[in-house]
Amino acid sequence: MLQTIIEGITPYIWEIIGVILTTITSYIGLKIKKIYEKKVNNETKQQIVRSVVEMVEQLSKKNNWNSEEKYERAKKTIINMVNQTGLKITEIELEVLIESVCNSIKKN
């Protein structure tokens, strides 16, 4: 009986192996794509935040903005720019990125 099953499957073994390999490769490819997109999206957000914070800092010197005005202007501009790229940014993520950039600017 086992031999009959093996004889029945044998002509299709390469097709079965091909389907299994294709499935595994597709799964791995999708995982790599998600990781890559997340990395690129995070880098894009970080670049936007850095550019905006630096711009607001420069403009604040000319306009005498206080810390709250600078923060609100930066926040509004960042949200607009991130939305234009089609990305999403949470309130917490926005706060963390702004604080991180501000701290790195202060250190330099």
Side-chain angles (χ1 to χ4, degrees):
M1 172 135 168
L2 181 62
Q3 187 171 355
T4 307
I5 294 173
I6 293 174
E7 288 174 1
I9 294 176
T10 302
Y12 305 105
I13 199 77
W14 290 110
E15 289 179 37
I16 293 170
I17 291 172
V19 169
I20 291 170
L21 289 175
T22 301
T23 303
I24 292 170
T25 304
S26 297
Y27 177 78
I28 292 170
L30 288 173
K31 287 295 182 183
I32 291 171
K33 180 182 176 191
K34 283 183 181 181
I35 292 168
Y36 174 77
E37 285 178 347
K38 185 175 181 179
K39 181 180 181 342
V40 168
N41 291 348
N42 286 339
E43 287 176 358
T44 301
K45 290 176 194 176
Q46 289 171 350
Q47 289 171 349
I48 289 171
V49 170
R50 177 165 287 288
S51 297
V52 171
V53 168
E54 288 173 353
M55 177 201 69
V56 168
E57 188 63 33
Q58 187 175 357
L59 290 174
S60 72
K61 292 175 185 174
K62 295 177 184 177
N63 298 304
N64 295 321
W65 295 335
N66 63 32
S67 295
E68 191 171 319
E69 288 174 314
K70 290 191 292 187
Y71 180 78
E72 289 303 318
R73 288 177 188 268
K75 189 174 162 182
K76 182 179 175 184
T77 305
I78 291 165
I79 290 170
N80 287 335
M81 290 180 72
V82 168
N83 287 341
Q84 286 177 359
T85 65
L87 300 175
K88 303 270 187 250
I89 190 165
T90 65
E91 187 75 25
I92 293 171
E93 187 178 17
L94 179 60
E95 291 174 11
V96 168
L97 288 171
I98 289 172
E99 287 299 320
S100 174
V101 170
C102 289
N103 285 334
S104 70
I105 288 173
K106 287 177 185 176
K107 288 179 183 177
N108 294 331

